[in-house]
């Protein structure tokens, strides 16, 4: 069989298989361009079963482009909370505003206009145009490149731009006339359900008979893909500061900077303990110097708090950073307490401990704004909390945080200038937190840290 016959075999058999085996997904029930767009953004780096409830809730709250464009950003982020890669939500709303301003609220059908929308790349543009408008545009993502690499025995590195161009040209040639919508979804479905990364189900594949990769015994070695640089490990100390007096029943949180990682999302105060050597796991810090350093960092921001003991260990993964978190329960203190002495001794305490660890650079300790899952073994009473992976492309316009209708005033940190607030459980529904901090704070309010290691 020649190449043309192989292509024909692929297209015909794949479509026949898809029409029988396609999944019933909520965004497939309508050819609504907005629904297609939202689903494709959500599906980036995220599994279908995870996306379904988020999609249904998101569309329920923002049923149209106009509704999304006009919504407060805090509401959009809250509806995205836990899904991760928060830049997707911000870009989606920014693009919705573009559609309102430039296209009268209607999704454009021109390729260049779709591609010009914020957060829309070649794959997403192709998916929108083909699925929503049935235009013969290729939609090539990692799943599609894996399928094509195996079926046509393509040895080119799929991380290279030239390989993507090759794949897009090939995928475009495979689309049957008038069937772009079904074919592109069929190709995605095959990669998701059958031609999987580590254990492809070749015996149930509708195109196995002419799969060059399977015939050559290469189905497990394709596609060719260079390994990404491993994320940088960091050890971070986190404070759950329990309020007293007027702040009883509340905890201290802060809002991240207006730009950069997790821009403007809320978090527990934390500080970098020590950078780890390249490709090595960040080592835990002994509790005594860790608590001293944490108290010192809070004092520098204008908050007096006494660390009471270790509450939990957690780990959180970004695309380029792995946070190993030591989480300490702390108690708010009067500003006139002896914590000023603890703050003054914090650096010395840490330096003394760090000097005993081979390969540790104690001079590299500093709080920083560049922040980022499997659990670590804690001490007997410590719990372990995991969170989903997040991305690091989090950019947003400045704000003073005054858009939140919370009962507590804004407090400005003396050192980093960030916004701090005391919050209670009733405030959790009004604020957007990265998943790891959402879990930690929710666990606190549920009483999980009532007993800590003194």
């Amino acid at each position: 069989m020649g190449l043309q016959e192989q292509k024909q075999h692929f297209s015909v058999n794949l479509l026949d298989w898809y029409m029988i085996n396609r999944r019933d997904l909520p965004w497939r029930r309508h050819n609504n361009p907005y629904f297609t767009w939202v689903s494709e953004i959500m599906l980036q780096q995220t599994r279908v079963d995870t996306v379904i409830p988020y999609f249904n809730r998101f569309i329920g709250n923002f049923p149209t482009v106009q509704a999304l464009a006009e919504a407060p950003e805090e509401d959009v982020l809250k509806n995205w909370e836990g899904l991760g890669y928060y830049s997707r939500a911000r870009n989606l709303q920014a693009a919705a505003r573009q559609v309102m301003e430039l296209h009268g609220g209607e999704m454009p059908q021109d390729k260049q206009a779709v591609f010009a929308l914020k957060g829309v790349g070649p794959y997403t543009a192709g998916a929108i145009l083909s699925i929503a408008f049935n235009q013969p545009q290729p939609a090539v993502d990692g799943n599609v490149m894996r399928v094509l690499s195996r079926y046509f025995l393509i040895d080119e590195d799929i991380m290279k731009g030239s390989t993507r161009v090759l794949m897009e040209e090939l995928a475009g040639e495979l689309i049957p006339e008038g069937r772009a919508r079904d074919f592109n979804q069929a190709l995605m479905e095959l990669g998701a359900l059958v031609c999987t990364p580590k254990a492809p189900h070749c015996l149930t594949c509708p195109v196995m008979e002419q799969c060059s990769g399977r015939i050559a015994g290469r189905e497990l070695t394709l596609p060719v893909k260079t390994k990404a640089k491993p994320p940088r490990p960091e050890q971070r100390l986190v404070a759950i500061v329990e309020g007293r007096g007027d702040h009883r029943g509340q905890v201290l949180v802060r809002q991240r900077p207006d730009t950069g990682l997790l821009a403007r999302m809320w978090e527990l105060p934390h500080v970098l303990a020590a950078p780890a050597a390249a490709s090595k796991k960040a080592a835990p810090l002994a509790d005594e110097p860790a608590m001293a350093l944490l108290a010192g960092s809070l004092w520098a921001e204008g908050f007096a708090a006494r660390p009471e003991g270790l509450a939990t260990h957690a780990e959180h993964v970004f695309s380029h950073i792995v946070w190993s978190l030591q989480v300490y329960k702390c108690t708010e203190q009067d500003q006139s307490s002896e914590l000023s002495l603890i703050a003054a001794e914090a650096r010395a305490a840490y330096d003394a401990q760090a000097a005993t660890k081979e390969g540790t650079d104690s001079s590299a300790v500093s709080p920083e704004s560049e922040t980022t899952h499997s659990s670590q073994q804690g001490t007997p009473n410590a719990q372990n909390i995991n969170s989903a992976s997040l991305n690091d492309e989090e950019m947003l316009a400045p704000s003073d945080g005054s858009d939140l209708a919370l009962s507590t005033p804004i407090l400005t940190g003396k050192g980093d200038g960030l916004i701090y607030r005391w919050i209670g459980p009733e405030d959790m529904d009004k604020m957007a937190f990265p998943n790891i901090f959402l879990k930690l704070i929710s666990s606190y309010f549920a009483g999980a840290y009532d007993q800590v290691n003194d």
Side-chain angles (χ1 to χ4, degrees):
M1 180 179 288
L3 179 59
Q4 194 58 40
E5 290 80 5
Q6 188 183 20
K7 292 179 180 179
Q8 182 71 13
H9 174 88
F10 183 88
S11 300
V12 171
N13 286 276
L14 179 59
L15 273 173
D16 289 345
W17 170 84
Y18 175 71
M19 300 311 294
I20 297 172
N21 295 280
R22 61 184 175 182
R23 290 172 290 181
D24 179 22
L25 302 175
W27 47 87
R28 286 180 176 168
R29 297 170 190 166
H30 315 272
N31 293 326
N32 184 317
Y34 174 62
F35 290 5
T36 300
W37 178 23
V38 171
S39 69
E40 288 299 334
I41 298 298
M42 286 188 168
L43 286 165
Q44 294 171 7
Q45 307 292 324
T46 311
R47 295 173 59 87
V48 168
D49 55 355
T50 300
V51 166
I52 290 174
Y54 279 93
F55 174 84
N56 289 332
R57 183 176 67 176
F58 197 89
I59 292 300
N61 290 325
F62 314 112
T64 64
V65 174
Q66 182 175 355
L68 176 59
E70 296 176 352
E73 187 200 68
E74 197 75 26
D75 290 352
V76 176
L77 291 176
K78 191 65 182 176
N79 278 268
W80 206 274
E81 187 178 66
L83 192 58
Y85 295 88
Y86 291 91
S87 60
R88 296 180 298 173
R90 293 190 173 101
N91 289 339
L92 184 61
Q93 185 177 39
R97 291 168 177 162
Q98 286 180 272
V99 172
M100 292 301 300
E101 294 171 4
L102 302 177
H103 307 288
E106 297 292 331
M107 177 66 70
Q109 300 186 38
D110 175 73
K111 182 177 181 179
Q112 293 304 318
V114 173
F115 190 73
L117 297 176
K118 191 171 181 62
V120 174
Y123 164 77
T124 305
I128 293 171
L129 292 171
S130 62
I131 297 172
F133 302 114
N134 204 29
Q135 293 185 20
Q137 297 290 338
V140 175
D141 64 356
N143 281 340
V144 171
M145 288 195 283
R146 180 173 63 255
V147 171
L148 297 182
S149 292
R150 289 172 175 170
Y151 185 80
F152 292 102
L153 193 58
I154 299 173
D155 275 313
E156 301 296 326
D157 184 353
I158 64 171
M159 299 300 288
K160 294 182 178 179
S162 58
T163 305
R164 171 174 287 278
V165 172
L166 171 66
M167 296 288 189
E168 289 175 345
E169 292 176 352
L170 178 57
E173 294 171 359
L174 295 170
I175 299 174
E177 185 175 356
R179 300 297 301 276
R181 173 180 294 123
D182 290 332
F183 178 80
N184 278 351
Q185 292 185 94
L187 194 49
M188 299 171 193
E189 199 85 328
L190 187 70
L193 302 180
V194 178
C195 197
T196 52
K198 296 182 179 180
H201 308 291
C202 293
L203 294 180
T204 61
C205 178
V207 296
M208 64 167 290
E209 292 182 3
Q210 298 302 323
C211 177
S212 297
R214 182 195 64 83
I215 294 170
R218 296 282 310 282
E219 66 273 18
L220 296 179
T221 62
L222 291 171
V224 175
K225 182 179 180 180
T226 54
K227 291 185 179 180
K229 183 180 179 181
R232 180 179 76 252
E234 289 184 352
Q235 190 72 22
R236 287 187 171 265
L237 311 175
V238 181
I240 300 178
V241 183
E242 184 176 52
R244 299 172 62 187
D246 293 342
H247 303 142
R248 185 173 299 278
Q250 299 179 324
V251 295
L252 184 68
V253 297
R254 71 183 181 193
Q255 190 175 39
R256 293 189 59 78
D258 293 330
T259 60
L261 180 69
L262 302 173
R264 287 191 62 213
M265 299 194 77
W266 293 86
E267 64 183 4
L268 292 168
H270 56 96
V271 62
L272 178 67
S279 303
K280 291 185 179 180
K281 193 177 184 68
L285 193 62
D287 285 342
E288 183 176 350
M291 291 192 293
L293 180 59
L294 194 53
S297 69
L298 289 166
W299 182 268
E301 292 304 306
F303 302 100
R306 177 186 295 282
E308 304 292 348
L310 182 68
T312 186
H313 286 285
E315 190 171 276
H316 194 57
V317 180
F318 290 92
S319 60
H320 70 308
I321 304 173
V322 177
W323 280 353
S324 294
L325 304 176
Q326 292 174 230
V327 184
Y328 292 90
K329 185 177 178 181
C330 307
T331 305
E332 182 186 12
Q333 300 291 306
D334 187 89
Q335 289 283 356
S336 62
S337 71
E338 74 277 11
L339 283 172
S340 58
L341 179 60
I342 296 177
E345 295 177 345
R347 173 72 65 172
Y350 171 73
D351 286 347
Q353 191 274 347
T356 66
K357 293 181 177 292
E358 182 179 356
T360 300
D361 179 8
S362 60
S363 66
V365 181
S366 62
E368 58 179 49
S369 61
E370 185 183 87
T371 321
T372 218
H373 98 41
S374 63
S375 61
Q376 301 177 16
Q377 183 63 41
T379 48
N381 293 326
Q383 303 175 27
N384 291 297
I385 290 184
N386 303 328
S387 70
S389 299
L390 299 181
N391 198 4
D392 55 310
E393 299 171 0
E394 306 294 344
M395 307 294 291
L396 195 65
S399 168
D400 61 3
S402 59
D403 54 334
L404 286 179
L406 302 183
S407 58
T408 54
I410 292 173
L411 307 171
T412 303
K414 293 180 179 179
D416 56 27
L418 296 180
I419 293 171
Y420 290 76
R421 287 182 185 268
W422 290 95
I423 67 164
E426 69 278 3
D427 297 314
M428 296 293 289
D429 291 337
K430 307 171 187 176
M431 308 167 73
F433 295 88
N435 203 34
I436 182 62
F437 294 112
L438 177 67
K439 290 183 177 182
L440 289 170
I441 298 171
S442 297
S443 294
Y444 167 77
F445 284 131
Y449 310 132
D450 289 345
Q451 299 295 324
V452 299
N453 296 288
D454 299 324

